[in-house]
Amino acid sequence: MDVLSAMSVFVRVVDLKSFSLAATEIGISSSSVSKQVSQLEKHVGAKLLQRTTRRLFVTDVGAAYYEKCQTILEEVEEAENLVSQLQGKPRGILRITCNMTFGQMQLSKAIPEFMDKHPDVQVDITLDDRAPDLIRDGFDMAIRIADPQLPDSSMIAREISKIPMYICATPSYLETNGHPACAEALKEHNCIVFVYAANANQWTLERNGKRCTVSVNGDLKANNSLVVRESVLQHRGIANLADFVISRFVKSGDLVQVFPDHQPELLSIFVVYPDRKYTSPKVSAFIDFFREWLERNHKEDLWAE
């Protein structure tokens, strides 16, 4: 039995609270997962997990052993990262999580170029508008928009770019409902809100160095900015959306900026990754690449779909 491999399997079973989910993630059969855990229990001479038809329980011994396994596996990973750093070549599987819209519209365009530059790196992307636990869920890094909301000091967040936000609507909506003369006038309009944005109902405008924040409301909230954009395109209201989500519709005239003489609010793009003594070359390589990619494509005005 490969003890380290069995430890890794055991940790994923505990993290996911499921043999079948662990098997799917690792890419082996449920029976193989069960066999490795059983062999590990035999090896340590203690029952680590208890299963019923509906639930999986970690024994007291299993909980203590789980904590030690996590430490050991992290130290093994750091040792491997040290070797990789000394060799200086990114390799292995890079697991990234990112929010849905940014992942579909931007990250998906960057990944092929990154893989061409680093053929020894395989990329595994999960798109999710919620913020998963990177360590528990086995991710190397996350790409997050605005506040990275770090749960503790075991994570590092690095800002790599900024995204302008624009308050927009269709010409038809503004003709029918009137053009807001100032930020306060937004209170009289149907404002469609992207709920995962920081301070989703608080929109900020700046003009000549003066900032104004207004509370907005409307008949639709959504956890996906493409849903918000589609509602705006159907003349249902006003939204505050990122440049890369709306730019081609502004260029075509389907959408217009409601306050074109105001400075756009800027949202930050962060990469978040576990704080390790030795950062993996594949993580460092991607951070450097993606920062440069965003700068290059933003300058070339290629943010549209």
Side-chain angles (χ1 to χ4, degrees), residues 82-241:
L82 172 60
V83 173
S84 296
Q85 273 196 339
L86 293 173
Q87 290 180 328
K89 188 172 184 180
R91 63 177 70 247
I93 300 174
L94 178 64
R95 295 181 174 88
I96 304 173
T97 180
C98 181
N99 85 299
M100 286 282 186
T101 303
F102 190 77
Q104 291 170 337
M105 298 182 67
Q106 298 300 307
L107 181 61
S108 63
K109 297 178 181 179
I111 288 298
E113 184 178 330
F114 172 75
M115 296 179 73
D116 286 342
K117 290 178 178 291
H118 302 284
D120 292 328
V121 178
Q122 301 84 50
V123 179
D124 183 339
I125 300 175
T126 297
L127 301 184
D128 192 338
D129 283 326
R130 294 166 295 183
D133 184 309
L134 299 191
I135 294 176
R136 183 195 66 202
D137 296 330
F139 291 108
D140 294 299
M141 64 189 303
I143 298 170
R144 295 182 183 162
I145 310 299
D147 182 2
Q149 298 178 343
L150 300 185
D152 54 55
S153 60
S154 66
M155 294 291 146
I156 294 174
R158 290 174 59 184
E159 182 183 291
I160 60 171
S161 188
K162 289 185 180 295
I163 303 172
M165 300 282 292
Y166 295 103
I167 296 173
C168 61
T170 62
S172 177
Y173 172 86
L174 295 175
E175 288 172 9
T176 302
N177 298 277
H179 198 296
C182 62
E184 286 295 318
L186 288 170
K187 294 179 179 180
E188 308 302 321
H189 285 264
N190 189 43
C191 294
I192 302 166
V193 173
F194 173 53
V195 296
Y196 282 155
N199 302 316
N201 289 86
Q202 303 288 317
W203 294 0
T204 299
L205 296 97
E206 182 175 335
R207 184 182 181 185
N208 299 327
K210 296 182 179 180
R211 292 169 62 87
C212 175
T213 300
V214 59
S215 297
V216 300
N217 283 291
D219 61 6
L220 176 66
K221 295 180 180 180
N223 67 352
N224 186 286
S225 56
L226 297 184
V227 174
V228 173
R229 185 185 71 183
E230 185 58 31
S231 184
V232 175
L233 288 169
Q234 295 300 320
H235 321 296
R236 292 199 51 82
I238 299 174
N240 190 19
L241 291 169

Side-chain angles (χ1 to χ4, degrees), residues 1-16 22-23 25-26 28 33 36-37 40 65-66 68-70 72-74 76-77 95 135-136 138:
M1 177 187 65
D2 183 334
V3 176
L4 282 177
S5 176
M7 283 182 175
S8 180
V9 169
F10 168 66
V11 166
R12 296 312 294 150
V13 170
V14 175
D15 287 341
L16 299 171
E25 180 184 282
I26 297 168
I28 60 177
V33 169
Q36 288 201 50
V37 172
L40 189 62
Y65 188 67
Y66 166 81
K68 287 295 185 182
C69 286
Q70 278 192 314
I72 291 169
L73 292 171
E74 287 175 5
V76 169
E77 182 181 1
R95 295 181 174 88
I135 294 176
R136 183 195 66 202

